[in-house]
Amino acid sequence: MIPAISLIESRSPHAPADVVASFPAAGEAGVQAAVLLAQAVQHDWAARNASARATALARAADAVEGAADELAALVVREVGKPVTEARAEVARSVSILRYYAQQVFDPVGAVHEPSGAGLLFTRRRPLGVAGLITPWNFPLAIPLWKAAPALAFGNTVVLKPAPQALACALRLAELLDLNEFQVVPGGAEEGAALAETADVVSFTGSAAAGALVRAAAVRRGVPVQTEMGGHNAAIVLPDADLESAAAQIAAAAMGFAGQKCTATRRIIAVGNGDEVRQAVLAAVARLGFGDPSDPGTVVGPLIDEAARDRVTVAAASAAAGVGRILAGGRIAGGTGEGGAGSRAGSRQAFGGLGGWYVEPTVVDGLFADHPLAREEVFGPICVVQDAASADEAVALANGVRYGLASAVYTRDLDRALDLSARLDTGLVRVNAPTSGVDFYLPFGGEKDSGYGGREQGKAAQDFYTSSHTVTVSPSR
Ligand code: NAD
């Protein structure tokens, strides 16, 4: 019997009848074939001189830049990212490619004093085929912040993108136009197959899938990094500029419908709970909501129906206990009950939206051990918590299994420095939203948010190469 071919399909979250991509899944055999192909060309790629690799990456940057409008529109259509953010993601993708095109020329080792006569030096070498497994929420930037350094330092790449972002990945491959960069359509099965075959594995996605990928790679003894979810806290101290803090927090919690690993999930008010609640609710109500292709939109749709339902179920479960819904909590836009409402102050009424929309949701009154106060729900939902002191706020912020990003709002420099040294997150941001990332600095999480070394910036060279120590002694 011929096995059924499974199709990988992506649909527009704003208009779910719109099929954006539909391709047969590569299957385990397809992944193995792609890895073999990548292995076959890796030696030549690594043997090219640095200028040749730099030129290839610079050309790729030009190609992505030349297609900027088209790519931004595709990101909007395929994953529902608001167009302003989609354009920024394309611009960042170009910068990432240019940055690693230059990093090709960085030193690959160091010369040391030999113990006798001769030469003692280290030299970093590529690892082989990099297997990249990526999520849908940054469908260009995440594949590129892994692939660009992998390629720059002499590896070849097999990318297994999220099914929901397949069209973006395939278009990226066309634009890069490199034999050394291949995309395999697929889901969990293909991701698992890649983790079983690549020479180095870099994963970004949920904590559950990351744990499986990590276990497979560690079992085989190949380098692996897994960047996963967060439950990011923003601490608002009594001396903070409340208006600015609230505006940043609202955008960080609800922008792109809260579908960023670094989105603010918890707001911790230190002795100023009433004012913080009021300011945040007002700021949330001002956010543009609706069609992601509208330049005024900040909060668009959720990626799919299941993601939308996880938000409303989480809100309902909180409200069924001790929690109170301060804003939102309902499906918006006529795809289910509670839709077609409108919020005073919002730029656009909900009515007429056909996609996977949920009202931006703020929940109050939960104990710290409530699932919503401890676990990531990947959508526009956050909780407000109170702390009597800065110490209590730090304990609350650190009291979850994640450790990706945190923010502190204060005008007191001593406080800012003290808290930034005690928050156990990979990113600590003072008077800046949890959701910002600089591509030229190391990025990654602590605890269940990250494993296996940082990515991006200069940290990427360490991950995609291994250091060899070379001793050269005189022949006699
Ligand atoms: P996901 O874990 O469902 O999927 C991520 C990728 O892993 C996809 O390509 C998927 O097909 C693949 N996959 C799924 N199961 C697998 C398995 N068993 N073996 C191998 N591969 C498997 O995540 P998602 O829904 O695409 O993305 C959202 C999640 O990603 C959120 O938890 C978010 O916080 C996280 N994220 C983290 C970062 C970061 O840098 N820390 C950045 C963006 C998103």
Side-chain angles (χ1 to χ4, degrees), residues 217-279:
V218 166
R219 198 170 49 242
R220 294 172 51 230
V222 301
V224 58
Q225 68 187 179
T226 54
E227 287 305 331
M228 298 160 290
H231 206 42
N232 315 301
I235 297 174
V236 187
L237 290 166
D239 69 327
D241 179 327
L242 208 47
E243 201 180 322
S244 156
Q248 288 190 17
I249 288 169
M254 308 301 177
F256 186 24
Q259 300 172 112
K260 297 177 194 170
C261 53
T262 51
T264 300
R265 309 277 177 214
R266 297 176 291 152
I267 304 163
I268 302 177
V270 184
N272 51 359
D274 288 348
E275 297 92 318
V276 168
R277 281 170 178 77
Q278 234 174 32

Side-chain angles (χ1 to χ4, degrees), residues 109-123 468-476:
V111 178
H112 294 259
E113 284 294 332
S115 45
L119 190 59
L120 179 62
F121 64 94
T122 59
R123 181 167 58 200
H468 299 255
T469 302
V470 182
T471 306
V472 182
S473 297
S475 58
R476 62 189 189 115

Side-chain angles (χ1 to χ4, degrees), residues 133-138 142 145 160-164 186-193 195 203-210 212-213 227-230 259-262 265 310 376 378 404 443-445 449 455:
I133 305 167
T134 53
W136 49 267
N137 64 337
F138 285 85
I142 292 181
W145 82 46
K160 208 300 289 169
Q164 301 93 328
E189 182 191 333
E190 286 74 13
F203 166 94
T204 298
S206 60
L212 295 171
V213 167
E227 287 305 331
M228 298 160 290
Q259 300 172 112
K260 297 177 194 170
C261 53
T262 51
R265 309 277 177 214
R310 279 194 288 274
E376 177 187 65
F378 209 58
L404 187 54
F443 173 77
S449 290
E455 52 183 351

